[in-house]
């Protein structure tokens, strides 16, 4: 899969890239899929940090509750994964905030077509 990354000001770009890469490695470890970052344009999964209404019909709610969402595979927005930039994103940290790796690994499961299960 080809994917570009858009960033959050909460973390250095290198840290965002590492968290996203490690989240995709979770899925590479249990599927035959391999993920490759692209600079933009024609990507299978577009990763975006956004606030409130962000033109996809599913506005975020501000800090708390909804952390992110991903679209099941398909045309148009299929696979795209959005993170609520009103959250405070962290990576592998004991500080207050939301761990980007954990949320990304979860959302990428949805981008690949998996629903929640027990």
């Amino acid at each position: 899969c080809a994917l570009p990354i858009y960033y959050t000001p909460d973390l250095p770009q290198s840290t965002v890239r590492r968290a996203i890469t490690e989240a995709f490695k979770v899925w590479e470890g249990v599927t035959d899929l391999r993920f490759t970052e692209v600079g933009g344009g024609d990507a299978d999964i577009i990763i975006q940090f956004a606030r409130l209404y962000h033109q996809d019909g599913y506005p975020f709610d501000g800090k708390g509750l909804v952390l992110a969402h991903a679209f099941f595979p398909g045309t148009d927005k299929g696979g795209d994964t959005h993170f609520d930039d009103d959250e405070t994103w962290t990576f592998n940290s004991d500080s207050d905030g939301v761990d980007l790796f954990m949320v990304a690994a979860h959302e990428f499961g949805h981008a690949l077509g998996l629903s929640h299960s027990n």
Side-chain angles (χ1 to χ4, degrees):
C1 291
L3 33 119
I5 300 175
Y6 300 94
Y7 297 96
T8 175
D10 295 342
L11 296 167
Q13 287 187 6
S14 61
T15 303
V16 172
R17 292 167 64 89
R18 182 173 168 212
I20 296 298
T21 298
E22 289 187 17
F24 275 117
K25 284 182 182 178
V26 168
W27 293 106
E28 287 183 342
V30 295
T31 68
D32 291 332
L33 298 172
R34 298 297 167 256
F35 300 93
T36 304
E37 183 180 350
V38 298
D42 191 26
D44 299 302
I45 298 173
I46 296 175
I47 299 165
Q48 175 184 357
F49 290 84
R51 289 187 163 91
L52 302 173
Y53 179 75
H54 55 284
Q55 314 261 335
D56 70 357
Y58 298 92
F60 286 123
D61 59 352
K63 192 172 183 86
L65 297 179
V66 177
L67 306 175
H69 57 241
F71 294 91
F72 276 31
T75 58
D76 194 28
K77 295 179 285 234
D80 292 357
T81 304
H82 302 159
F83 298 90
D84 186 348
D85 214 9
D86 279 325
E87 306 302 333
T88 301
W89 294 103
T90 64
F91 177 61
N92 203 18
S93 170
D94 291 332
S95 66
D96 289 334
V98 180
D99 188 281
L100 179 57
F101 163 76
M102 294 297 291
V103 175
H106 173 98
E107 293 301 331
F108 294 156
H110 296 314
L112 297 175
L114 298 174
S115 298
H116 291 142
S117 69
N118 292 333

